[in-house]
Amino acid sequence: MSTLLVRQMKKPIILALAFLVFFVPILLTVNTGQAQAAAPVLNLDVSSAIMIEAKTGKILYKYNENQAFPPASMTKMMTEYLVLDAIHKKKLSWDQKVTVDEYGAFLGKSGTSGVLLALNEVHTVKELYDAMAIYSANDATVMLAKTVAGSESEFVKLMNKTAKEFGMTQTNFVTATGLPVADLKQFASESATGDNMMSARDSAILAKELLTRYPELLETTKIPHKTFREGTSRPLKMDNWNWMLPGLVKQYAGVDGLKTGHTNAARFCFTGTGERNGIRLITVVMGAKSFLSRFTETSKMLDYGFSHYKMQPLLKKGAQVPGGEMAKVDRGTDKEVAALASQDVLYPVKAGEEGVYKPKAVVKQVTAPIKQGQEVGSIKIVGSNGKADEFLRPIDEQKAGGTLVAKDEVEEAGWIRLAFRSFFGFIGDIFSGLGNMIKGLFS
């Protein structure tokens, strides 16, 4: 084979390789179907992780986020939610007294995190709740679970039912505390087996639900130190296990929650949250190598999130969305009603992408009577390619832009008006059909 022929054959091969090296990665990045740019490379040394913006649930970073692992005491976030829910529904009160039973006393002496509860000791729901949220006290947690549901096994059923309602598809709870069943000895429920399991995504869903429904939770989780049994002969100083709080070893400006976890199987976990410059982030790391490294790995995500994202105003309250100004009304005195944004629309936008995102109206047909301020649609946030970002759940994507509401009231039309409207509509259809027929004959 001649040298010239070999050189001619090499040229297309070199061009093909150049195309693969330089252009294919670009095409793959552009054609992801997401408005958001490619995910950052943070090199976290964990089993799984996720970071979201707390209000919308938009995912800013993810790694192995759908695989379930033992969550250890991050399980207690669900217990916290159910206690707060019971308080809200007036099934419990903060000053309600709880008497410690044998199970609570067993955990008080188990060597796990706790406040050394003794048999027949009496505390209020608030005292036990603080011990659970600040100090991850297993003995306090199980007493709260039994107070809410009568037994831990019934409480666990409630935990799993709520997780399903939240859309936590990779979660199964077996204890209220996050302790493995084997650690409960004779107090383990006969129906409980194995370990608690939860994915990083599910943990973020749970944290988002907590912060959305009961933001007052942060007033407790941000406390770095508190004394249990203060003013008695048996005081116990509780240092928050979240060492990213102000004044603690790994303090990070803006962090005010949420829940740590550690068992041999789970290793070291942390669901954190913090707010800076008007944007709140939720982070989850699971399977970190050490007590401190879970906070170091969390810091990497927070550094990236706070430095790259801000909440951008996209729409003012009361404004209309182009292309979705009116909602059709069935059986009303008016056939349409103006659709307005129910609130200011703020959206987490990465630096350099400020002009990328636009609100898109999703208007639904409604039936009279319509009240002023009644929901008539929703606002979807899309990128320049018409695609939405990735969210925790479909419901988060639907709610990210808020709702559209009716500007005015629309009364239900009387039967006479509806009859005439139907008649003239019928006549209009006939003439429209005839016009199309004549036009067709002469076209």
Side-chain angles (χ1 to χ4, degrees):
M1 187 178 293
S2 70
T3 304
L4 179 61
L5 181 60
V6 171
R7 287 177 180 174
Q8 288 176 340
M9 292 178 63
K10 283 183 177 179
K11 286 181 180 179
I13 296 173
I14 293 170
L15 289 173
L17 288 173
F19 178 82
L20 290 171
V21 170
F22 293 105
F23 292 103
V24 170
I26 294 172
L27 292 173
L28 290 174
T29 302
V30 172
N31 195 32
T32 58
Q34 300 291 330
Q36 185 182 351
V41 179
L42 301 183
N43 297 318
L44 302 187
D45 190 12
V46 296
S47 299
S48 64
I50 195 169
M51 175 170 61
I52 66 165
E53 189 276 314
K55 181 178 181 295
T56 62
K58 173 179 171 177
I59 296 176
L60 310 184
Y61 175 82
K62 62 180 182 176
Y63 167 68
N64 200 25
E65 76 284 359
N66 292 320
Q67 184 172 346
F69 295 98
S73 283
M74 293 197 308
T75 298
K76 293 185 177 77
M77 289 192 295
M78 181 60 85
T79 304
E80 291 169 2
Y81 175 86
L82 292 173
V83 170
L84 290 168
D85 193 56
I87 293 288
H88 178 74
K89 293 176 179 175
K90 302 190 184 305
K91 295 179 180 180
L92 289 183
S93 64
W94 286 122
D95 58 359
Q96 183 175 332
K97 299 291 176 58
V98 178
T99 301
V100 179
D101 64 9
E102 291 183 351
Y103 186 11
F106 164 77
L107 288 179
K109 296 182 292 185
S110 66
T112 65
S113 182
V115 286
L116 308 179
L117 292 180
L119 184 64
N120 296 324
E121 192 174 351
V122 178
H123 291 282
T124 65
V125 167
K126 185 63 168 68
E127 289 169 338
L128 295 174
Y129 174 83
D130 287 352
M132 172 178 63
I134 297 170
Y135 202 50
S136 198
N138 291 309
D139 44 5
T141 300
V142 78
M143 293 313 306
L144 287 170
K146 296 184 74 172
T147 303
V148 170
S151 68
E152 185 177 27
S153 60
E154 288 301 310
F155 187 81
V156 168
K157 290 179 184 178
L158 187 57
M159 294 171 75
N160 285 313
K161 177 176 178 290
T162 306
K164 186 175 181 180
E165 291 170 354
F166 287 172
M168 298 166 62
T169 60
Q170 301 299 318
T171 294
N172 183 53
F173 295 118
V174 294
T175 67
T177 58
L179 289 171
V181 173
D183 290 0
L184 305 185
K185 307 294 184 183
Q186 70 271 26
F187 295 100
S189 169
E190 292 181 1
S191 60
T193 57
D195 201 349
N196 301 280
M197 299 295 287
M198 185 163 63
S199 67
R201 181 189 288 263
D202 283 0
S203 188
I205 290 172
L206 178 52
K208 184 179 186 300
E209 290 291 337
L210 258 175
L211 295 178
T212 300
R213 301 187 189 212
Y214 302 114
E216 65 269 23
L217 166 85
L218 295 174
E219 294 302 313
T220 303
T221 61
K222 72 180 183 182
I223 298 172
H225 310 282
K226 190 162 187 174
T227 300
F228 192 74
R229 301 189 195 87
E230 188 170 16
T232 73
S233 60
R234 295 178 61 222
L236 187 150
K237 184 181 178 183
M238 300 186 297
D239 292 329
N240 202 312
W241 293 110
N242 174 10
W243 284 14
M244 297 187 81
L245 293 175
L248 300 183
V249 175
K250 299 289 286 186
Q251 64 180 351
Y252 190 101
V255 168
D256 49 10
L258 197 57
K259 192 72 197 72
T260 59
H262 167 61
T263 62
N264 290 336
R267 294 193 287 184
F268 296 88
C269 309
F270 180 47
T271 297
T273 185
E275 184 174 17
R276 283 188 190 176
N277 302 318
I279 184 169
R280 176 170 288 280
L281 304 178
I282 293 171
T283 60
V284 182
V285 294
M286 303 185 74
K289 301 294 176 59
S290 70
F291 185 97
L292 289 178
S293 70
R294 57 182 161 185
F295 304 126
T296 302
E297 303 308 293
T298 297
S299 295
K300 293 178 185 178
M301 284 194 285
L302 292 176
D303 286 345
Y304 173 79
F306 285 132
S307 64
H308 285 78
Y309 286 88
K310 65 178 181 180
M311 298 301 285
Q312 181 185 354
L314 297 183
L315 202 65
K316 287 285 188 181
K317 179 180 179 180
Q320 291 183 295
V321 180
E325 293 88 349
M326 306 296 291
K328 291 182 178 180
V329 180
D330 186 33
R331 304 184 66 82
T333 53
D334 296 311
K335 294 183 179 181
E336 293 182 318
V337 64
L340 311 178
S342 63
Q343 60 188 20
D344 290 343
V345 177
L346 300 173
Y347 191 72
V349 174
K350 191 176 182 180
E353 298 180 353
E354 289 79 4
V356 168
Y357 295 94
K358 303 294 181 186
K360 178 182 178 181
V362 182
V363 185
K364 58 185 180 181
Q365 184 168 328
V366 290
T367 302
I370 305 299
K371 295 181 180 180
Q372 185 181 36
Q374 180 177 326
E375 183 178 334
V376 295
S378 60
I379 302 169
K380 186 175 181 179
I381 309 300
V382 297
S384 58
N385 58 359
K387 301 289 186 179
D389 285 318
E390 185 178 5
F391 293 82
L392 276 177
R393 302 163 293 182
I395 189 65
D396 296 313
E397 180 180 344
Q398 294 169 21
K399 292 183 175 182
T403 58
L404 291 167
V405 296
K407 179 182 180 182
D408 304 300
E409 290 186 2
V410 180
E411 296 180 358
E412 185 177 7
W415 70 270
I416 296 177
R417 178 181 291 200
L418 292 174
F420 272 99
R421 185 180 292 171
S422 178
F423 172 75
F424 285 113
F426 174 71
I427 296 298
D429 289 342
I430 291 176
F431 279 99
S432 177
L434 287 172
N436 289 332
M437 185 183 299
I438 293 169
K439 184 178 178 181
L441 289 173
F442 292 95
S443 60

